[in-house]
Amino acid sequence: MRWWSAANLVSNAGTWMQLTAQNLLVLHLTGSAAATGLSLSAQAAPGLLLGLLGGAAVDAWPRRLTATVSQALLALVGFLTAALVLTDHLSVPVLMALAAVTGLIATVDAPACALLGNDLVPPENVPSSIALGSMVSGAGRVGGTALAGVVVGLWGPGAAYAANGLSFLAVAAVIPFLRPHPGAGRQRPAEAVRPRAAAPAAAPAPASARRGTGAREGLAFFLRRPRLVALAGITAISSVFGRNYALTLAVLVTGPLGGAAGAFGTVSTVLAVGGVAGAVLAGRLRSPSVRMVGALAATGAVLQIGAGLSPSLWVLLLLVAPMAVVESVSDTAGTTVLQTDPPPHLRGRVLGVWRTVSTGWSLVGPPLLGLLMQVAGARGALVIGGVLIAGPIAAGAVLRARRTRRASVAAVPPEPAAVAWAPLPVARPASPAPVGCVVPGHGELCAAGCATAV
């Protein structure tokens, strides 16, 4: 796990270095911010269209081999792009095509690497593994973005692509030496001991069906699981109306609060530190649930409303820190549920479904939020967004509580009605009953006369 985390730290830093260089490169080639957004959309589009097939491939193929090959292919794309940049043969259409190829490979690479990391620890430590991955991702993002400025400034964007290619090779070189934990691939003990009554437990797959390529099977499983559908709904509204702080808080700080760019830098730093602190706290989770994710999302929404009403920068900073902590813990709890709720042979396909739907709201969210900000301003967008998050979650919690209460009442068996015992008509014998005559359960009848009772 230490080797895997170190390799992923290098890989995340390289990825963010390349993304930063890609944005600068598109701006240099086109001078258009819209073209920069188009390049990001081209990289995300395969996840929207082919996420289901990518997850099915992860379930069908050996996981370590799949992750190794996908990392090697990503390295190849990075080296090819670097060569085109250094030889001045890179055009915008070629860059868009390479970005799409990167997104296509990522539809397989992302679920394979996520599940491979979970396979390295006992099932009860999967939440800690996911929290550690969140910390590594955050550190890689900060480090990679900072390194991009240095590398691009000294050697140009081609060097950033080459560095990212090397980072993928670092991961590919580590994977063959990883050994899964003996208990990997089982449900977590807490789930086995306390199955949730809200959703029926999935039947264990036969040995012959542990690997399969049926993408529709993963989608059907996802749609049949109310807790996964609820998790998707909570995450969707939170992502669209509550997670784009780089946009909403930037406008709030530089607009109504009258701060400069340095002030937003301070807010961004507090967000990053809070995210790391939340990942540390999330490492102590043992059995997170969708109810926990919903409660955390609603708490973050209330804090977001407070941030929108902040009268000064200092009040905003006091609210931003717990917002980041709550968001980080909620993300880790939701990811843990997503990666451990399905049976092992369906987890890749369920992650493929999730990649498809999450790509959808990632593409739709920023334009919707931008429109809301244009109509209501930064403060209004934060307040309205918080209400749109907390309201449905609270309503869903109330409805679920009512259904649970009704189900518990319906499940109580009715008390047996009192039985009226009527004396049976008996004929009294002419002679007294024999001594010692006993008929079990008919003591009174025996006293009257054994012959008739028998």
Side-chain angles (χ1 to χ4, degrees):
M1 191 65 189
R2 286 192 292 269
W3 279 101
W4 179 243
S5 299
N8 273 284
L9 177 61
V10 174
S11 181
N12 275 282
T15 297
W16 282 100
M17 191 185 307
Q18 174 176 308
L19 284 175
T20 305
Q22 178 174 310
N23 293 338
L24 296 174
L25 186 59
V26 174
L27 283 174
H28 173 72
L29 293 174
T30 65
S32 170
T36 303
L38 183 60
S39 68
L40 297 176
S41 297
Q43 188 164 326
L48 178 64
L49 302 175
L50 302 173
L52 287 172
L53 295 178
V58 171
D59 282 337
W61 301 335
R63 193 163 294 163
R64 287 195 298 168
L65 178 61
T66 303
T68 303
V69 172
S70 63
Q71 289 285 310
L73 290 176
L74 288 171
L76 181 61
V77 174
F79 290 139
L80 177 59
T81 309
L84 293 174
V85 172
L86 294 175
T87 58
D88 201 20
H89 284 85
L90 184 67
S91 62
V92 174
V94 173
L95 181 61
M96 297 294 181
L98 291 172
V101 171
T102 300
L104 177 62
I105 300 171
T107 60
V108 175
D109 178 75
C113 288
L115 296 176
L116 180 60
N118 294 344
D119 287 345
L120 302 178
V121 298
E124 62 271 15
N125 288 340
V126 167
S128 296
S129 172
I130 294 173
L132 179 59
S134 299
M135 293 176 60
V136 168
S137 178
R141 179 175 184 171
V142 174
T145 305
L147 284 174
V150 177
V151 172
V152 173
L154 292 177
W155 300 290
Y161 278 95
N164 191 33
L166 290 174
S167 72
F168 286 127
L169 288 183
V171 178
V174 166
I175 291 175
F177 298 97
L178 301 178
R179 294 292 177 265
H181 189 273
R186 298 198 311 259
Q187 295 290 92
R188 288 182 296 141
E191 295 174 356
V193 175
R194 298 194 307 266
R196 291 177 172 85
S208 60
R210 290 189 61 81
R211 294 193 180 275
T213 57
R216 288 183 299 178
E217 185 182 358
L219 178 61
F221 176 86
F222 190 95
L223 295 177
R224 286 197 306 265
R225 298 287 280 179
R227 58 198 310 257
L228 293 182
V229 175
L231 178 64
I234 293 170
T235 308
I237 59 174
S238 299
S239 299
V240 172
F241 297 109
R243 299 294 180 88
N244 293 287
Y245 297 136
L247 178 60
T248 53
L249 293 183
V251 178
L252 177 65
V253 170
T254 58
L257 296 182
F264 179 65
T266 303
V267 173
S268 300
T269 301
V270 173
L271 282 172
V273 173
V276 174
V280 173
L281 291 176
R284 302 184 66 86
L285 296 176
R286 282 296 174 264
S287 187
S289 63
V290 177
R291 185 182 301 178
M292 176 189 295
V293 176
L296 290 169
T299 302
V302 173
L303 291 171
Q304 176 179 316
I305 294 173
L309 301 175
S310 298
S312 66
L313 180 63
W314 292 108
V315 175
L316 178 64
L317 289 174
L318 290 176
L319 292 171
V320 161
M323 282 168 59
V325 172
V326 168
E327 178 183 340
S328 181
V329 177
S330 176
D331 285 345
T332 302
T335 304
T336 302
V337 172
L338 181 68
Q339 295 183 10
T340 58
D341 179 75
H345 71 286
L346 281 174
R347 287 174 182 171
R349 278 165 280 188
V350 169
L351 289 183
V353 175
W354 188 265
R355 184 173 183 85
T356 297
V357 296
S358 63
T359 302
W361 67 61
S362 296
L363 294 176
V364 172
L368 282 179
L369 186 59
L371 180 62
L372 181 60
M373 291 181 65
Q374 185 176 352
V375 173
R379 289 189 184 276
L382 286 166
V383 173
I384 295 173
V387 172
L388 291 176
I389 296 170
I393 292 175
V398 171
L399 291 176
R400 184 181 185 278
R402 287 182 178 178
R403 284 199 304 267
T404 303
R405 186 164 55 250
R406 290 174 182 173
S408 62
V409 171
V412 175
E415 294 185 3
V419 179
W421 292 96
L424 295 176
V426 294
R428 295 183 178 275
S431 59
V435 178
C437 177
V438 176
V439 179
H442 296 78
E444 348 32 89
L445 297 181
C446 285
C450 282
T452 306
V454 173

